[in-house]
Amino acid sequence: MYILKKLILSFLLFSLSFHIYAAQTLPPKLQHFIQKHPVITLGVSDQWDPYIIIGKDGNITGFNYDILQLVNRYTGARFIQKPGQWATIQKEVKKKHLDGLASLTETKKRKKWLNFSKTYIKVVKTILTNTENDIPQIYTLDFFKNKTVVIEKDNKLDEKLAKDLGMHIVYANTFKEVYTLVAQKKYPFAFGHSAMDYFLGKYGLPRLKTIYTFNKATELKFAIRKDLPEAIEILNYGLSQIPFEEYSKLERKWFLKNNTYIQPKFTDKEKEYLSKKEKLTLCLPPNYSPFSFKEQNRCQGISVDISQKIATRIATEITFSQKNCDFSSIIQHPNEQYSAGSYLEQYFVLVTKKVQPYIEDLNIITGKVGVLAGFGYKEILQKHYPDLKIEEVHDIREGLTKVDEGKLLGYIGLLGTVAYHLETYALKDLKVSAKLDIEMPLFFTTKEKILATILQKTIDQIPKEEIEAIYRKWIHIEIRQINRFPYLKEIFLGFFFTLLASLFWIHKLSIAKKALEKSQNEIARMNANLAVKIRNEIQKSKEKDLLLLHQNRLAQMGEMISMIAHQWRQPLNVLSLQISTLKIKALKNRANSDTIANFTNEMMELTQYLSRTIDDFRNFFKPEKQKTSTSVNEIVENALAITKNSLSHKKIQIYKELHADTPFPLYKNELIQVLINIIKNAEDSLMQSNLAKKYIYIQTYTQAQKAFIRIADNGGGIPEEIIEHIFHPYFSTKDEKNGTGLGLYMSKMIVEKHSGGKLYATNSDEGAVFTVELTIT
């Protein structure tokens, strides 16, 4: 009895000393806060299993409880939870009857009265259906419009999501009822999350099928009232002290302990091997986001999450290290090790600046491209592209930054790493310009053959939708399903309506001409009445201007169609190439869901590029009723964006010196039309010359409250005998087939009558110079 008392006393002293030590690690002001606030109470929904579970005796357990117990252990504080109806407990916090909330997302509205903790768990939302429901994996949310989904009452997040998708909503009282109704096929769809295994296992429901995984994971946090800032500091400190292994144990305990997955069928020798292993150690490449990296003293990433899926299925803890490992996650397979099979397919992509055209063949690239050092990428690429100039960089961000700064033409890396870094560091001026036909699968390797077999069997048991959910958690790429040629219909409709519009305008021109002739006859007959004559002359002038405008627009439409062809030629070549590649893979039975998903992602980018081109030209033709605030630099860039492909195709260099970035009210689209007219005239002039080097020089500057745009070329200039007539209507230096003589006339009207500026032409030693002068208001 004496020994037992001594043991109990020792335990209590140890526990007390640990809490004293934990408290002493906090700054004095936080220690003082804990003394003043011995209990910090967080409200939580009473319908949120397994984050909070209320026993029949009223005792609280669950994932949140275990997390807060660890926070209490590392800080010496005492955070507790009070369950209740979600709407009610939020009001309790606002009335200061509770100190904060647990298990919620951070929003702008909530940030006005709450301080939020670090994320303590990420939840990936999914859409579920019955396994007997014959619906394939869905890649576009449009599929769910007007479909029925069952959700829990008062679940505002799911309710908003359903309304955003245009779905019909059926309400259930509890989560159990939600999944029971779908399992019994009474309703087709429900929203799922990371606690699905717990629910289905706890209530003995059949497994539901995931048919859509949302891009971004929902980040759950704790929150404390604004008037208790010390509490959130203590909470964040405690969360940062929890080791990754502890997090993993709790996730397995609460989200996977009752899972209904099919366990791998191990042999007796394999079971014996695992029984002797208390844990397995995995070596991961450091600083290889998003596959593996360390943040807040925790290993994170795609490979880490997949390894924890394996740990759950083999009931063995997996820890992480850089040496003395049982198995490793690598990209290239060393011959002396056994492979456990690929768990994720990847391929190389080339990233360039958005201004660069799409690239079909890397062998024609003359500039340097960056690759990540230390992974053997340089050797692999040189084997396929011996003439490629490669510069190794220390990390992925360095390579992409050098491309963004123009120090490298491009960067070649795995799709996953590239997509993650482009999004994380908001490198909006970069794009994926080419997909390389070099597949780079990620797999686990080990020196033990039996462990390789165990890992292979386990990986084979992980559903593909789970792998996809992990991938989407870290890489937020929207993958949309396309039906062979998704924009083909829109393209043909666009051309069809353009043709109809042209016929309509021709008909209108015919009517305008007849009206003009009729007006002239009327004027002749009514010469005696001066007032009537003046009125009819004004009408005649307006109709003439309309006729000129219509003729000019038709001429421009022909030029626009030509420029659209230049814009689309390269992307359509890439589209054709990738369709051929997919067909070959399909014939070789290599077109799995990942291949198709990657193909659709790339094709979506191309079709969006084509769609943006249509929007650019459509906006160009929109009439403007009001001025918008913009700079002449922006107008120049917009005009060049429309004409650059045509100029590049004809090997005409563009030189820019833009120094007028002051915004002021302008008719933006009309002035873009003016610059395109002048640039196209310069292009025509240069193509008639025999110069080896052709160029157009564009300069902008401001002086004395005026903005100037100068467009010069080296095409030889305008003959002096006609330079005074070039702005007259129907005057053209081109033949009848290629010119209407309206472009410069309409340009002068736009600049001088609509914009209150000046447009004039002069000659330099090398060619023509057009100057647009605008008053800054």
Side-chain angles (χ1 to χ4, degrees), residues 572-772:
L572 288 174
N573 286 341
V574 174
L575 180 63
S576 175
L577 176 65
Q578 294 307 322
I579 290 172
S580 300
T581 303
L582 182 64
K583 182 178 179 182
I584 292 169
K585 288 188 176 182
L587 292 173
K588 293 182 178 181
N589 293 324
R590 293 173 59 194
N592 55 28
S593 60
D594 289 336
T595 303
I596 294 171
N598 292 332
F599 169 80
T600 55
N601 182 42
E602 184 174 1
M603 292 306 100
M604 191 63 201
E605 181 185 351
L606 285 171
T607 52
Q608 285 175 346
Y609 171 82
L610 298 178
S611 178
R612 284 196 302 272
T613 303
I614 287 290
D615 289 339
D616 289 343
F617 288 101
R618 183 179 62 190
N619 292 335
F620 170 74
F621 278 104
K622 283 183 180 177
E624 288 183 292
K625 295 181 180 180
Q626 292 183 343
K627 292 182 178 182
T628 56
S629 182
T630 187
S631 68
V632 294
N633 283 2
E634 185 178 347
I635 290 172
V636 170
E637 294 289 4
N638 288 341
L640 288 176
I642 294 174
T643 57
K644 66 179 180 182
N645 279 11
S646 176
L647 296 171
S648 175
H649 179 71
K650 295 175 181 177
K651 298 182 180 179
I652 298 174
Q653 297 291 323
I654 292 289
Y655 297 100
K656 299 182 295 183
E657 192 176 346
L658 308 181
H659 302 293
D661 55 2
T662 302
F664 60 98
L666 293 168
Y667 291 111
K668 180 179 177 180
N669 286 350
E670 292 190 353
L671 289 171
I672 292 172
Q673 177 185 341
V674 169
L675 297 191
I676 290 175
N677 278 333
I678 297 171
I679 291 169
K680 293 299 291 181
N681 281 344
E683 176 185 326
D684 293 337
S685 176
L686 289 166
M687 293 311 296
Q688 291 175 9
S689 70
N690 296 319
L691 296 169
K693 182 178 180 181
K694 305 177 180 69
Y695 73 82
I696 296 174
Y697 171 77
I698 302 178
Q699 179 188 28
T700 65
Y701 60 95
T702 57
Q703 183 178 336
Q705 284 301 105
K706 291 184 181 294
F708 295 83
I709 307 172
R710 294 181 72 252
I711 303 175
D713 62 65
N714 65 334
I718 306 167
E720 291 297 328
E721 61 270 18
I722 66 170
I723 196 168
E724 293 182 0
H725 307 292
I726 61 173
F727 294 106
H728 293 176
Y730 298 109
F731 182 88
S732 176
T733 59
K734 306 173 188 177
D735 54 41
E736 290 181 2
K737 223 182 259 188
N738 296 322
T740 63
L742 295 173
L744 290 176
Y745 171 72
M746 295 304 301
S747 296
K748 194 171 184 69
M749 284 182 60
I750 289 169
V751 174
E752 298 189 357
K753 290 190 177 182
H754 291 197
S755 302
K758 293 181 181 179
L759 171 62
Y760 48 91
T762 57
N763 282 322
S764 68
D765 292 338
E766 294 184 306
V769 180
F770 284 82
T771 303
V772 178

Side-chain angles (χ1 to χ4, degrees), residues 427-463:
L427 299 169
K428 296 179 181 179
D429 293 329
L430 303 183
K431 70 173 182 180
V432 175
S433 291
K435 171 184 172 289
L436 283 62
D437 264 340
I438 306 176
E439 294 184 354
M440 298 293 291
L442 277 74
F443 47 85
F444 296 117
T445 60
T446 176
K447 293 182 179 179
E448 298 180 84
K449 186 175 182 180
I450 188 170
L451 179 55
T453 306
I454 290 170
L455 293 172
Q456 180 67 71
K457 287 181 179 180
T458 310
I459 291 169
D460 291 342
Q461 290 293 335
I462 302 175

